[in-house]
Amino acid sequence: MCLCLGPIKSGKTFLMKRLQGDEIDYATHTVSTNGINLFTIKNDTGEFDMLIKEIGGSMAPIWKHYFDKTQKLIYVIDTSNLCQISAAGVLLYSLLVDPKLQNIKIALTLNKMDLSYRQMRNEALLMLQYSRLQKEVTQELSVFETSGMTDQGIEELRNWLFDPISLKFSINSKK
C-alpha cells in the first residue's frame, strides 16, 4: 500500500487527482481533506493499478495508525509556502523515526513548483537538511519536483510508484 501525507494545503489531493488522470484546469479546485481520500493510480500502460490513501494534513497526529503494510509513502510539501517547509520538515522527521516505516521508499515531493521561484528547490532541500537525511535514514528517499496544475513531474512520480519491484509484487499478488 502507498500513503500520501503532508501538511495542510500542500496540494496532496490535487496531485493525486492529476496522477489518477483527472482533467485539471484553472477552474479545478479541491477542499482540504478532513479524513481520507482513496485514489486508484494506473501505470503508464494501464495494465497495473495501485491504491493510494491520501490522509488529510489535519490528521497528522493520527497518521501513525495507517502505517501498517505501507511500502511506499508520497510526502508532499508546498514549495511556494516558505513557512510551511520548516513545519513539513518536523512532520517528515517524525515519520522517518517511526519503526513501522523503517524499510519503506519515500517520494519527497516538492509540490507547486509552478508557483515557486527556481531556487526554491535548493532552499527547500536545505531547510529539510536533505543531505544529512540521505546519510542518516534507513529509508530510500527520492526527490520529485511536481505541479498538479502544469503536470510537471507527474510521470516521474508515476514511474517511481510502478518501479520494477512494485510491478513484480503486483503481479505475484494477483496470482
Side-chain angles (χ1 to χ4, degrees):
M1 178 185 27
C2 182
L3 291 179
C4 179
L5 305 175
I8 297 168
K9 300 223 178 262
S10 57
K12 297 178 294 298
T13 304
F14 210 77
L15 192 64
M16 290 299 106
K17 284 179 176 277
R18 180 60 94 163
L19 260 175
Q20 188 171 259
D22 291 4
E23 288 296 318
I24 304 287
D25 61 24
Y26 287 100
T28 305
H29 91 256
T30 61
V31 179
S32 290
T33 303
N34 291 316
I36 299 171
N37 287 325
L38 298 175
F39 293 92
T40 301
I41 311 300
K42 294 193 176 297
N43 72 333
D44 54 358
T45 64
E47 189 176 352
F48 301 101
D49 57 37
M50 181 180 294
L51 183 68
I52 298 180
K53 283 186 185 178
E54 178 230 337
I55 305 174
S58 62
M59 295 179 61
I62 62 168
W63 282 349
K64 62 184 174 209
H65 299 292
Y66 296 91
F67 292 167
D68 288 334
K69 299 181 183 173
T70 298
Q71 286 100 27
K72 292 189 173 190
L73 179 112
I74 300 171
Y75 189 75
V76 182
I77 299 170
D78 177 356
T79 58
S80 72
N81 183 344
L82 195 59
C83 296
Q84 189 191 81
I85 295 171
S86 57
V90 171
L91 285 172
L92 175 62
Y93 276 77
S94 70
L95 297 172
L96 293 172
V97 298
D98 192 287
K100 291 181 181 175
L101 300 179
Q102 291 307 297
N103 298 312
I104 67 166
K105 294 181 179 182
I106 299 175
L108 184 56
T109 309
L110 305 177
N111 198 29
K112 301 184 185 180
M113 288 300 291
D114 58 315
L115 302 175
S116 304
Y117 53 93
R118 189 67 230 140
Q119 190 60 22
M120 197 61 216
R121 176 194 191 277
N122 296 336
E123 289 182 29
L125 293 175
L126 187 63
M127 289 175 74
L128 294 169
Q129 299 184 20
Y130 182 69
S131 298
R132 182 176 169 203
L133 280 178
Q134 284 182 300
K135 296 173 191 168
E136 295 181 5
V137 300
T138 59
Q139 297 89 343
E140 182 182 314
L141 292 171
S142 301
V143 177
F144 296 92
E145 297 176 34
T146 60
S147 167
M149 185 57 70
T150 66
D151 207 23
Q152 175 186 349
I154 298 299
E155 284 312 306
E156 291 84 357
L157 188 56
R158 184 184 318 283
N159 291 338
W160 176 84
L161 281 168
F162 293 99
D163 67 332
I165 294 169
S166 298
L167 286 176
K168 185 178 177 182
F169 179 77
S170 178
I171 291 167
N172 290 336
S173 67
K174 289 183 179 184
K175 288 182 179 178

